[in-house]
Amino acid sequence: MAEAAGGERKIVVAVDESEESTYALTWCLTNLISSNFKDTLFLVHARSPPALYTGLDGPGYMLSSDTVATMEKYGNVVAESVMKKAQKICRDLAGDIRVDTRVEGGDARDVICQMVERLNADILVMGSHGYGLIKRTFLGSVSNHCAQNAKCPVMIVKKPKSPAS
């Protein structure tokens, strides 16, 4: 990883409510953070906008403003919970590292790539859900998209599988 001017590095870690995200953050803190650098860790969370069905393509429905407000409130609660958990992990594993949190609404692929560019990040660290070919084809892969489009090196951390009991 290239060193930024003055030994300062901007490390972006994409965080969500998954175990894979938590593992990637933990991996980053134990393997990338160094006392030789003035690291700033940016925790980035993409809050998905609620899906709205307009009925323009056939039968559908519009969500009431109360329903949309409830969904937005829930999204904010999830984002706050994700960030509190991630900040606690940072305090527990890295102590005095500078941590900045960013929550943006939108598709995770776009939010993460835009944030990397806006922050002029030195590296992006993210977890991988380890979907197979079929699931990736239908659901898309955020990590794959970011690896192809982010304007910095991307470290995709895969959580090891637990041994069968």
Side-chain angles (χ1 to χ4, degrees):
M1 179 169 72
E3 178 182 337
E8 296 179 17
R9 300 185 303 179
K10 294 178 183 175
I11 301 170
V12 173
V13 180
V15 293
D16 62 19
E17 59 276 9
S18 71
E19 288 179 28
E20 293 83 4
S21 168
T22 301
Y23 182 81
L25 175 59
T26 301
W27 184 92
C28 176
L29 291 166
T30 56
N31 292 286
L32 282 183
I33 303 302
S34 168
S35 59
N36 297 331
F37 295 94
K38 294 178 184 173
D39 293 329
T40 300
L41 193 63
F42 291 91
L43 304 174
V44 175
H45 176 73
R47 201 168 41 89
S48 299
L52 299 176
Y53 299 94
T54 63
L56 298 176
D57 294 277
Y61 56 92
M62 291 290 287
L63 299 176
S64 72
S65 59
D66 289 344
T67 302
V68 172
T70 300
M71 292 169 71
E72 293 242 348
K73 185 177 178 184
Y74 176 73
N76 291 336
V77 168
V78 169
E80 186 177 333
S81 172
V82 166
M83 287 305 185
K84 281 183 179 178
K85 179 180 175 183
Q87 288 173 315
K88 181 180 181 335
I89 292 169
C90 291
R91 279 191 308 273
D92 292 348
L93 294 179
D96 62 350
I97 185 173
R98 287 179 289 182
V99 177
D100 191 353
T101 60
R102 305 289 171 102
V103 176
E104 297 281 333
D107 184 275
R109 294 173 283 218
D110 299 328
V111 167
I112 294 166
C113 288
Q114 290 166 2
M115 193 59 66
V116 161
E117 192 167 355
R118 195 177 312 151
L119 295 169
N120 194 27
D122 293 297
I123 189 167
L124 166 63
V125 177
M126 57 192 318
S128 170
H129 290 283
Y131 293 145
L133 179 62
I134 303 293
K135 276 190 180 178
R136 264 197 328 270
T137 301
F138 288 105
L139 299 176
S141 169
V142 174
S143 58
N144 187 53
H145 177 86
C146 292
Q148 298 297 319
N149 295 287
K151 304 283 189 216
C152 71
V154 178
M155 175 67 68
I156 299 172
V157 180
K158 189 172 179 183
K159 183 178 183 229
K161 294 187 181 201
S162 333
S165 306

